Amino acid sequence: MTRIVVVGSINMDLVTQAPRFVGPGETILGERFLTVPGGKGANQAVAAARLGAEVALVGAIGDDALGRQLREGLATEKVDLSHVVQLAGSASGTASITVAGGENQIIVVPAANARVTPAQVEGAQSLIARADAVLVQMEIPLETVEATLRLGHRLGVPVLLNPAPAQKLPIDWLRFARYVTPNQHELAILLGADPTEDFRTLMQRAPCPIVLTRGGDGAWYREQGDPIHRSGFNVAVVDSTGAGDTFNAALAVFLAEGLPSAVRKACAAAALSVTKLGAQGGMPTLHEVTFFLAQQKG
Ligand code: RIB
């Protein structure tokens, strides 16, 4: 069984479905409200577990009711939580999300996620040493992201860096990642580049292999030479929250099959994930991805 370690955030998502986004100072009536588990780290852990991997998460929750609910949800998904700490006196991370017309707007309050430490990553060293891949994102302190990249590199375990939410990083860190998986906007910020510059040019300028997500248009990937396009799949979009997380998880789970196959399956998993409300609501099982792909032509 593929073994994945995820180092990242755990949030409770407070999701409002609305006919449109509000402007400053405006009040409108929403259509639906729900409280569902989220956070980029937790989402990637759940997506990888549903795809059949053995998954451990390194992260933090608060000692509040949300933290207890989040822990229970992850345990139900069979995610190993032995490296998730519950922090006394801290609140759990939250994300206020508005979903309108399949798009979203998100405000994250990191809370406990801001206290995920490099020491926690070092503490998971034996787990990471046995992993087939490590996933890390940027809703936790950057020093912890760096520690994850360096440890994975030192141990010879591929680390997939999902640079979201977008921030500029020291360019040297990117060399420790097996793949960096931004969208177009995140890649420009990561490299300190002009956001209007062609993303294929930016991919070629990056000091590491890039797998770039393009929403419904699929993904582009580049190890060497020219970037290669993998088309997306046509589905009815309900909520795109968590699509990137599903993509990253699938990429890690199927990495051993080689990049073309892993990217195709990641596009399929991400497509399925947007057909239901909530970040984890539409994350598919391995069987669902296999069935979906069997129905496609490309
Ligand atoms: O990537 C989607 C996630 O971003 C949401 O679940 C939310 O918690 C934010 O972290």
Side-chain angles (χ1 to χ4, degrees), residues 9 11 13 38-40 43 95 97 106 108 139 241-242 245 279:
S9 58
N11 293 334
D13 289 353
K40 294 187 190 303
N43 290 344
I97 302 179
I106 305 181
V108 172
E139 280 183 343
T241 314
D245 298 328

Side-chain angles (χ1 to χ4, degrees), residues 197-236:
E197 204 171 331
D198 186 272
F199 65 86
R200 285 155 290 215
T201 310
L202 293 181
M203 285 175 79
Q204 285 177 310
R205 204 190 298 156
C208 55
I210 299 283
V211 180
L212 181 127
T213 52
R214 294 267 297 163
D217 187 36
W220 287 75
Y221 56 96
R222 175 183 186 268
E223 300 221 56
Q224 289 164 348
D226 290 334
I228 297 169
H229 184 221
R230 166 70 240 177
S231 303
F233 295 95
N234 207 2
V235 291

Side-chain angles (χ1 to χ4, degrees), residues 45-216:
V46 168
R50 288 196 193 159
L51 292 170
E54 189 180 300
V55 184
L57 178 59
V58 180
I61 51 173
D63 64 347
D64 51 9
L66 293 184
R68 286 185 285 281
Q69 274 182 50
L70 290 165
R71 180 178 274 282
E72 273 169 33
L74 287 161
T76 305
E77 299 282 350
K78 300 194 170 39
V79 175
D80 174 355
L81 300 175
S82 52
H83 291 272
V84 171
V85 294
Q86 184 166 23
L87 298 171
S90 177
S92 294
T94 52
S96 301
I97 302 179
T98 306
V99 176
E103 302 286 338
N104 62 42
Q105 286 181 337
I106 305 181
I107 300 174
V108 172
V109 178
N113 297 305
R115 293 168 59 191
V116 180
T117 62
Q120 264 181 276
V121 176
E122 288 294 336
Q125 177 164 339
S126 61
L127 206 62
I128 290 173
R130 292 195 307 273
D132 295 293
V134 173
L135 284 158
V136 64
Q137 328 73 34
M138 307 213 306
E139 280 183 343
I140 55 173
L142 289 186
E143 58 177 359
T144 309
V145 174
E146 181 188 11
T148 306
L149 287 165
R150 286 184 185 274
L151 181 62
H153 191 256
R154 198 169 79 222
L155 297 172
V157 177
V159 181
L160 279 66
L161 168 65
N162 177 214
Q167 287 179 65
K168 183 157 169 33
L169 291 183
I171 205 85
D172 279 358
W173 294 13
L174 303 185
R175 296 181 212 279
F176 297 119
R178 180 70 186 88
Y179 294 105
V180 178
T181 61
N183 60 26
Q184 185 174 347
H185 163 77
E186 290 157 355
L187 179 62
I189 292 186
L190 198 62
L191 300 179
D194 179 345
T196 60
E197 204 171 331
D198 186 272
F199 65 86
R200 285 155 290 215
T201 310
L202 293 181
M203 285 175 79
Q204 285 177 310
R205 204 190 298 156
C208 55
I210 299 283
V211 180
L212 181 127
T213 52
R214 294 267 297 163

